[in-house]
PDB file of all heavy atoms in Angstrom:
ATOM      1  N   LEU B  10     -15.010 -22.776 -13.027  1.00 96.00           N
ATOM      2  CA  LEU B  10     -14.896 -24.072 -12.321  1.00 96.00           C
ATOM      3  C   LEU B  10     -13.957 -24.961 -13.033  1.00 96.00           C
ATOM      4  O   LEU B  10     -13.987 -25.086 -14.211  1.00 96.00           O
ATOM      5  CB  LEU B  10     -16.339 -24.767 -12.236  1.00 96.00           C
ATOM      6  CG  LEU B  10     -16.422 -26.155 -11.674  1.00 96.00           C
ATOM      7  CD1 LEU B  10     -16.060 -26.114 -10.243  1.00 96.00           C
ATOM      8  CD2 LEU B  10     -17.827 -26.673 -11.909  1.00 96.00           C
ATOM      9  N   VAL B  11     -13.075 -25.533 -12.208  1.00 98.00           N
ATOM     10  CA  VAL B  11     -12.146 -26.532 -12.694  1.00 98.00           C
ATOM     11  C   VAL B  11     -12.289 -27.740 -11.889  1.00 98.00           C
ATOM     12  O   VAL B  11     -12.128 -27.787 -10.672  1.00 98.00           O
ATOM     13  CB  VAL B  11     -10.654 -26.023 -12.758  1.00 98.00           C
ATOM     14  CG1 VAL B  11      -9.769 -27.132 -13.037  1.00 98.00           C
ATOM     15  CG2 VAL B  11     -10.459 -24.809 -13.614  1.00 98.00           C
ATOM     16  N   THR B  12     -12.586 -28.902 -12.611  1.00 97.00           N
ATOM     17  CA  THR B  12     -12.792 -30.207 -11.906  1.00 97.00           C
ATOM     18  C   THR B  12     -11.630 -31.124 -12.288  1.00 97.00           C
ATOM     19  O   THR B  12     -11.419 -31.304 -13.563  1.00 97.00           O
ATOM     20  CB  THR B  12     -14.129 -30.760 -12.188  1.00 97.00           C
ATOM     21  OG1 THR B  12     -15.129 -29.869 -11.784  1.00 97.00           O
ATOM     22  CG2 THR B  12     -14.350 -32.087 -11.425  1.00 97.00           C
ATOM     23  N   LEU B  13     -10.927 -31.640 -11.362  1.00 96.00           N
ATOM     24  CA  LEU B  13      -9.829 -32.561 -11.651  1.00 96.00           C
ATOM     25  C   LEU B  13      -9.870 -33.789 -10.747  1.00 96.00           C
ATOM     26  O   LEU B  13     -10.508 -33.829  -9.711  1.00 96.00           O
ATOM     27  CB  LEU B  13      -8.503 -31.845 -11.262  1.00 96.00           C
ATOM     28  CG  LEU B  13      -8.032 -30.649 -12.108  1.00 96.00           C
ATOM     29  CD1 LEU B  13      -6.775 -30.069 -11.375  1.00 96.00           C
ATOM     30  CD2 LEU B  13      -7.659 -31.151 -13.504  1.00 96.00           C
ATOM     31  N   THR B  14      -9.240 -34.861 -11.345  1.00 97.00           N
ATOM     32  CA  THR B  14      -9.015 -35.989 -10.567  1.00 97.00           C
ATOM     33  C   THR B  14      -7.738 -35.909  -9.787  1.00 97.00           C
ATOM     34  O   THR B  14      -6.780 -35.393 -10.171  1.00 97.00           O
ATOM     35  CB  THR B  14      -8.951 -37.260 -11.451  1.00 97.00           C
ATOM     36  OG1 THR B  14     -10.207 -37.351 -12.173  1.00 97.00           O
ATOM     37  CG2 THR B  14      -8.813 -38.553 -10.607  1.00 97.00           C
ATOM     38  N   GLU B  15      -7.773 -36.420  -8.500  1.00 97.00           N
ATOM     39  CA  GLU B  15      -6.609 -36.358  -7.600  1.00 97.00           C
ATOM     40  C   GLU B  15      -5.419 -36.910  -8.259  1.00 97.00           C
ATOM     41  O   GLU B  15      -5.534 -37.918  -8.960  1.00 97.00           O
ATOM     42  CB  GLU B  15      -7.002 -37.175  -6.374  1.00 97.00           C
ATOM     43  CG  GLU B  15      -6.010 -37.097  -5.235  1.00 97.00           C
ATOM     44  CD  GLU B  15      -6.437 -37.885  -4.024  1.00 97.00           C
ATOM     45  OE1 GLU B  15      -7.361 -38.807  -4.202  1.00 97.00           O
ATOM     46  OE2 GLU B  15      -5.906 -37.707  -2.906  1.00 97.00           O
ATOM     47  N   GLY B  16      -4.272 -36.225  -8.152  1.00 97.00           N
ATOM     48  CA  GLY B  16      -3.092 -36.670  -8.742  1.00 97.00           C
ATOM     49  C   GLY B  16      -2.724 -36.017 -10.097  1.00 97.00           C
ATOM     50  O   GLY B  16      -1.592 -36.004 -10.478  1.00 97.00           O
ATOM     51  N   LEU B  17      -3.687 -35.418 -10.756  1.00 97.00           N
ATOM     52  CA  LEU B  17      -3.419 -34.707 -11.992  1.00 97.00           C
ATOM     53  C   LEU B  17      -2.894 -33.375 -11.748  1.00 97.00           C
ATOM     54  O   LEU B  17      -3.110 -32.776 -10.605  1.00 97.00           O
ATOM     55  CB  LEU B  17      -4.749 -34.651 -12.838  1.00 97.00           C
ATOM     56  CG  LEU B  17      -5.206 -35.962 -13.333  1.00 97.00           C
ATOM     57  CD1 LEU B  17      -6.450 -35.745 -14.223  1.00 97.00           C
ATOM     58  CD2 LEU B  17      -4.187 -36.625 -14.191  1.00 97.00           C
ATOM     59  N   PRO B  18      -2.233 -32.761 -12.700  1.00 98.00           N
ATOM     60  CA  PRO B  18      -1.673 -31.410 -12.481  1.00 98.00           C
ATOM     61  C   PRO B  18      -2.768 -30.347 -12.481  1.00 98.00           C
ATOM     62  O   PRO B  18      -3.750 -30.462 -13.149  1.00 98.00           O
ATOM     63  CB  PRO B  18      -0.741 -31.252 -13.595  1.00 98.00           C
ATOM     64  CG  PRO B  18      -1.165 -32.163 -14.699  1.00 98.00           C
ATOM     65  CD  PRO B  18      -1.705 -33.369 -13.937  1.00 98.00           C
TER      66      PRO B  18
END
Side-chain angles (χ1 to χ4, degrees):
Chain B
L10 173 65
V11 172
T12 302
L13 289 174
T14 301
E15 190 178 16
L17 291 181

